[in-house]
Amino acid sequence: MRRADIERLLPAVYQHAAGPGGVLFALLDVMEGLHAPVEARLGAVEDLFAPYRAPDAFLPYLLGWLAVDHVGRSLPPGRQRDLAARAGDLARVRGTAAGLCALLETLTGVAGFVVDEPADRPFHIVVRIPEAARDQSYLIRLAVEAEKPAAVTAELADS
C-alpha cells in the first residue's frame, strides 16, 4: 500500500498529524516499504501458476497440485516445466497406451516410445524404449510402474 493510501485509513486526527517531518510521516513511509515486496508478489501471482514463469523452487508444489509429482520430482527444472505445462493433456489420456507414450516423451525429452499389447499375453504391455532414452531407464521404469493400469504387468524392451 502506498503511504497516502495508508494515511487515508487513519482517523482524521492522525491524518492531520501525518505531515512531513513528523514521526507518523516516517512511520507511514516505513509501512509502505514493508508492504512493497508482498504487493509485488501479489501483483504477479499468476506467474506462480504458469509453468514457464514460476520460480524453480515453486515447481515441486506446482507438480503436486497437478498430481504429477510422483513422476516429476527428480526431473531437472526444464523438464518439470514441460510436465506441468502438459499435465492437463496427459490427464485426459491417462491409462492408455498413447497417454503412457506421451508421458514418457515428456519426462525424457525423447520421442519414439511404443507400447505393444501382445495378443498372447492379456493384461500385459511391452514398452519399447528408443535408443536415445536408454540411459534414463530408471526414470522410465518408475513412470511405467506408476502410470500403467493396476491389473496390467509391464516390461521394458529396446526398440
Side-chain angles (χ1 to χ4, degrees):
M1 267 181 126
R2 299 271 181 232
R3 193 186 89 57
D5 296 333
I6 298 170
E7 188 177 330
R8 278 196 301 264
L9 297 173
L10 297 174
V13 69
Y14 287 108
Q15 288 179 19
H16 183 66
V23 173
L24 189 53
F25 185 86
L27 181 61
L28 292 177
D29 280 343
V30 169
M31 288 177 71
E32 179 180 343
L34 290 173
H35 286 134
V38 173
E39 288 182 352
R41 172 53 74 194
L42 290 174
V45 74
E46 68 276 357
D47 288 348
L48 293 176
F49 307 103
Y52 295 106
R53 293 192 316 254
D56 287 351
F58 195 74
L59 290 173
Y61 296 109
L62 186 57
L63 293 176
W65 288 343
L66 297 169
V68 290
D69 58 326
H70 62 289
V71 291
R73 255 183 245 126
S74 62
L75 296 175
R79 291 268 166 68
Q80 287 181 341
R81 293 177 192 285
D82 293 341
L83 181 59
R86 293 198 62 200
D89 295 331
L90 293 171
R92 278 191 283 283
V93 292
R94 187 173 185 195
T96 66
L100 184 57
C101 288
L103 174 67
L104 294 173
E105 289 173 3
T106 303
L107 294 176
T108 63
V110 177
F113 285 89
V114 177
V115 175
D116 292 329
E117 299 178 45
D120 61 333
R121 291 188 70 186
F123 304 107
H124 182 77
I125 59 173
V126 178
V127 178
R128 303 216 177 270
I129 304 170
E131 176 77 33
R134 288 192 185 133
D135 61 333
Q136 301 181 61
S137 62
Y138 176 76
L139 174 63
I140 295 166
R141 182 171 302 286
L142 174 75
V144 169
E145 287 300 318
E147 293 296 315
K148 69 174 181 57
V152 172
T153 58
E155 68 179 274
L156 303 181
D158 297 333
S159 289

